[in-house]
């Protein structure tokens, strides 16, 4: 039987690379005391050789363009290379194809060193059995495709965003898919002979293996006392996961669904002082029952990474610990609500409750929950620690008292490790 190979172009197909390219062009122009190119000019740098672009678009002499190229590479090879994003959903698409037994490869006009470093950085190399890159300035796609798959009997699909990918693919006898989220237009792709067009990442899998099951995504939650800096860290983690090509969906509790948002208003309203502790616990559980069924499970089944701002652990900590209803009682109340749906990973922002409250009150007006006294917040912290000691493997615990940037890096590293390991 013929083997099927799917070959992908890198820039503009799997990764979005303009940020790094632009920053390096700006750096080079500044180093040579040239004015910073505007965005329209920066776009032109994507595609053509650098020397040509510096001459044509910045008005440099041959010698100046050479110096600019050196400056560009100096920054690109250390920093610019990683100022790159994998398009959202790319990982899910690669996993879907991999599970169907498709062999995959990379065919790119980039040099091999940079290509491999990018693929390793984003932990994408594991998906590919062959990587064919430009050598000594030769970046002709037809030759690269033949080098990537020497087997002349194989069925090859070339997937790319520019005319070079389509033309090279046709000349090498491959089928072609043009993708419209990169640097070429649909018109360009079609006139270069694209056999099929993918307007979204998922359409690649639809074209190549229609009806193939989508691998499950993941459920993540973030927890911590009020004032632990959770808002900032959620934003940072969402951005990192998006940058790595996961399809991320952010949600929250209380809230998270239209019904849940209504429940949230009741729960956090400072006017509701007479709410009994049991009412409060049941409202949080009711909110969760809707959230699990309407939002969390469907997202994970669709291969997304659902990142939730607070979940079951908050009830255990706040109602079980803070309100004194007891850890086990809260778990019992919530059992039918969550119905076995627990996060794959929970990030816990570990901070002394006194320090956290100091930060919280310095920020904005406190809500009904935050107005509870110090004993309440101490009990919340204790209950969190008890939960972690009961099931330490679910948690990524980070010290939340330090520098925000360092905390974000630690969370990113640990969460990415868990998620990428689970892709195997
Ligand atoms: P929110 O405004 O989302 O605050 P934060 O940014 O600190 O998450 O309010 C959520 C409040 O609700 C917070 O004080 C914790 C509390 N809470 C519970 O008491 N039980 C729960 O089950 C959940 C999900 C939240």
């Amino acid at each position: 039987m013929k083997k099927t190979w799917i070959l992908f172009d890198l820039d503009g197909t799997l990764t979005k690379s303009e940020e790094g390219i632009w920053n390096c062009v700006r750096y080079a122009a500044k180093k040579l005391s040239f004015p910073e190119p505007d965005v329209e000019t920066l776009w032109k740098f994507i595609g053509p050789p650098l020397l040509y672009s510096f001459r044509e678009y910045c008005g440099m002499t041959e010698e100046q363009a050479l110096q600019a190229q050196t400056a560009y590479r100096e920054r690109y090879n250390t920093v610019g290379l990683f100022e790159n994003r994998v398009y959202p959903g790319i990982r899910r698409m690669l996993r879907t194809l991999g599970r169907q037994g498709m062999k995959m490869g990379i065919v790119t006009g980039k040099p091999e060193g940079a290509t491999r470093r990018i693929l390793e950085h984003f932990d994408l190399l594991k998906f590919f059995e062959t990587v064919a890159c430009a050598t000594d300035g030769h970046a002709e796609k037809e030759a690269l495709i033949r080098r990537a798959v020497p087997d002349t009997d194989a069925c090859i699909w070339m997937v790319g965003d520019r005319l070079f990918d389509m033309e090279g693919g046709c000349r090498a006898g491959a089928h072609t898919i043009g993708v419209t989220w990169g640097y070429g237009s649909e018109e360009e792709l079609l006139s270069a002979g694209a056999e099929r067009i993918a307007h979204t990442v998922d359409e690649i899998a639809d074209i190549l293996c229609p009806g193939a099951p989508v691998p499950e995504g993941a459920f993540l939650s973030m927890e911590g006392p009020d004032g632990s800096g959770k808002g900032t860290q959620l934003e940072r983690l969402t951005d990192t996961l998006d940058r790595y090509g996961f399809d991320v969906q952010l949600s929250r509790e209380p809230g998270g669904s239209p019904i849940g948002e209504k429940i949230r208003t009741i729960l956090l309203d400072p006017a509701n002082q007479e709410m009994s502790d049991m009412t409060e616990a049941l409202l949080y559980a009711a909110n969760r029952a809707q959230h699990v069924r309407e939002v969390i499970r469907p997202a994970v089944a669709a291969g997304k990474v659902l990142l939730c701002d607070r979940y079951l652990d908050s009830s255990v900590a706040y109602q079980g610990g803070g309100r004194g209803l007891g850890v086990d009682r809260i778990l019992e109340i919530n059992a039918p609500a969550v119905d076995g749906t627990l996060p794959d990973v929970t990030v816990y922002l570990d901070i002394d409750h006194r320090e956290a409250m100091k930060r919280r009150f310095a920020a904005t007006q406190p809500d009904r929950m935050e107005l509870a006294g110090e004993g309440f917040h101490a009990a919340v912290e204790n209950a969190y620690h008890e939960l972690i000691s009961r099931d330490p493997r679910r948690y990524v615990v980070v010290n939340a008292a330090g520098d925000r940037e360092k905390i974000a890096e630690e969370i990113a590293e640990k969460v990415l490790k868990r998620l990428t390991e689970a892709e195997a």
Side-chain angles (χ1 to χ4, degrees), residues 225-227 230 253-254 264 268 280 284 288 309-312 314-315 318-319 367 369-370:
D226 295 285
K230 194 163 45 60
E253 282 193 10
R264 176 184 172 94
L268 300 185
E280 181 181 289
Y284 279 113
R288 191 158 297 127
D309 179 355
R310 300 193 180 280
Y311 186 64
L312 174 62
S314 282
S315 278
Y318 284 80
Q319 283 65 53
D367 61 36
M369 298 303 294
E370 290 159 348

Side-chain angles (χ1 to χ4, degrees), residues 303-351:
K304 297 185 183 204
V305 172
L306 189 290
L307 173 55
C308 194
D309 179 355
R310 300 193 180 280
Y311 186 64
L312 174 62
D313 296 353
S314 282
S315 278
V316 176
Y318 284 80
Q319 283 65 53
R323 299 283 187 230
L325 294 175
V327 167
D328 290 312
R329 188 123 179 259
I330 292 301
L331 288 173
E332 222 172 87
I333 290 172
N334 276 274
V338 302
D339 189 31
T341 298
L342 282 181
D344 299 295
V345 181
T346 296
V347 176
Y348 180 66
L349 298 173
D350 197 15
I351 185 165

Side-chain angles (χ1 to χ4, degrees), residues 47-64:
L50 277 175
L51 284 179
Y52 171 87
S53 301
F54 280 122
R55 274 198 325 255
E56 288 298 308
Y57 311 136
C58 296
M60 293 186 183
T61 64
E62 183 72 34
E63 196 181 324
Q64 286 167 331

Side-chain angles (χ1 to χ4, degrees), residues 397-417:
V397 179
V398 293
N399 178 354
D403 173 64
R404 282 180 179 190
E405 282 305 309
K406 292 224 172 72
I407 297 167
E409 276 170 30
E410 187 182 344
I411 294 173
E413 189 191 320
K414 291 181 173 166
V415 171
L416 282 168
K417 186 164 184 290

Side-chain angles (χ1 to χ4, degrees), residues 90-104:
I90 287 288
R91 309 190 85 88
R92 172 177 56 208
M93 182 270 293
L94 294 173
R95 286 176 73 201
T96 306
L97 297 181
R99 287 194 178 188
Q100 294 301 306
M102 305 241 164
K103 291 180 169 297
M104 294 185 278

